[in-house]
Structure formats: C-alpha cells, structure tokens
Amino acid sequence: MPYVAKDFGKLVGMDGFSETLLKNHFTLYQGYVANTNKLSDLLGGMLAEGKTATPEYAELKRRFGWEWNGMRLHEFYFENLGGKGPLDPASRLGKAVAAEFGGVEKWEADFRAAGAMRGIGWVVLYQDKLGGRLFNQWVNEHDVGNPAGAVPLLVMDVFEHAFMVDYGLKRADYIAAFFRNVNWKAAEARLS
C-alpha cells in the first residue's frame, strides 16, 4: 500500500511563514512521499526478480533511508507547527524538559543554539525510549544522525528551503518564527 502525502494546507496563513514558502515546502515534502513509493516499488520488484546482489539494489536500498526519513521528518515538522505561544512550564512536556535541562529556558536556548549552527539539516528534541532521557540532536542529513531507538518530540527543519524565501540568511529570525508557531500539544503527544 503506497504512502499518501498528508495535507498541511491549514498552516497557510501562519505568522512568519509566507504562503509561497509553505507551498514550496509542501511540494518538496510531496516529492519525498512520491520517491519513497517509487523506491518501495523498485526494491520490491528487484527482490521478486532475485536481483538483491546487484549494485543497483544496494544503492536504491541506501537511498530509501534518505527519502523515507525526508518524508517522516517533514511530517513531524509540519505536525508540530500551527500553535501559538511558548511551552507551558507546567505541562507534561514543560516539566520533562525542565527536569532534563534545568529549566524550559535552558532547553530552549540549547535547541535554538543547535538550530543556529552552520550547516543544513534538522534539530530534533528526542526522547530516549529506553533511558527516558530527553536531548536535542542535530541531524545533518535525513538519513544521518538519527539516534537509534529515540523518538522525535519536536522537529525543526533548518535546510535552506525552510526559511530562505522569507528570511534569506537570517536563520535566527526563522527560528523565532518557528517558536511562535509550535503546536506544543502535538509535541507533547509524542512523549511517552
């Protein structure tokens, strides 16, 4: 059964994100969904034909992680947008990050600092399912840097396509707009 791109059109009109930027971003996401489906079909066909020992199969198998993670990370990102206001320190997520980082403000400063680092990628607040701990992680490429067994709670896209149309090189302004629009309930719902 193929993956279906989700409709995130409700985000259009969100403060700090132009319609052009969002629609371009949605189109990019839809490409990840389409490519995930194409690769699934190709790999399934090669498996059925006994072509798994070929270099083509190996490269498609490697590429699948890029496309699939690109699809999922964008879904997490769009799903944790559309809210208003700061993280409530009294919420379950607020208490969890305060316990781990020594305060909501310290956690947010760390998350923002990771987002401001040079380079392209993602910043993700993860929860280690086994240890229960929370940590902010830089993910360079979709398929590199995702810690095994960790669950993404809050995802911020810091590839240029996420902000250049509206903010040019002013990544800090984009990060401020991101924080004005976090849907904290969606992020908290991912917390176990």
Side-chain angles (χ1 to χ4, degrees):
M1 187 159 154
Y3 293 100
V4 177
K6 297 179 181 183
D7 180 4
F8 295 107
K10 67 178 182 166
L11 297 177
V12 172
M14 186 172 50
D15 176 46
F17 291 78
S18 70
E19 181 175 349
T20 299
L21 179 128
L22 286 170
K23 286 186 173 180
N24 285 345
H25 209 164
F26 299 155
T27 300
L28 181 82
Y29 154 68
Q30 291 161 359
Y32 286 115
V33 175
N35 286 338
T36 296
N37 288 326
K38 286 177 191 173
L39 285 172
S40 292
D41 291 345
L42 286 168
L43 288 165
M46 293 178 88
L47 177 63
E49 295 170 13
K51 295 182 178 179
T52 58
T54 65
E56 294 83 5
Y57 180 84
E59 289 308 310
L60 291 176
K61 202 64 156 162
R62 288 183 183 100
R63 182 65 186 192
F64 183 82
W66 168 264
E67 300 295 345
W68 195 88
N69 280 355
M71 175 182 69
R72 281 293 186 248
L73 286 168
H74 277 96
E75 289 171 351
F76 286 133
Y77 171 72
F78 292 133
E79 287 168 358
N80 63 218
L81 286 174
K84 298 277 185 217
L87 175 59
D88 179 0
S91 69
R92 197 164 66 96
L93 182 59
K95 289 176 183 176
V97 297
E100 187 68 45
F101 288 87
V104 169
E105 300 80 15
K106 287 183 180 179
W107 162 77
E108 187 175 320
D110 185 67
F111 193 93
R112 286 177 183 254
M117 295 182 335
R118 290 178 51 87
I120 57 170
W122 302 86
V123 178
V124 182
L125 169 62
Y126 280 106
Q127 180 181 31
D128 171 11
K129 292 290 279 189
L130 294 176
R133 304 221 25 212
L134 303 180
F135 58 95
N136 292 323
Q137 172 78 19
W138 174 266
V139 176
N140 186 45
E141 300 285 346
H142 307 320
D143 57 341
V144 178
N146 291 288
V151 174
L153 303 180
L154 180 67
V155 175
M156 180 173 64
D157 191 342
V158 287
F159 276 86
E160 287 92 350
H161 64 256
F163 61 89
M164 291 288 283
V165 169
D166 290 350
Y167 295 100
L169 298 175
K170 297 178 182 173
R171 190 186 296 210
D173 292 348
Y174 159 71
I175 293 170
F178 171 83
F179 269 94
R180 285 195 309 272
N181 290 285
V182 172
N183 178 347
W184 295 108
K185 289 182 181 187
E188 187 172 89
R190 298 172 186 155
L191 184 65
S192 63

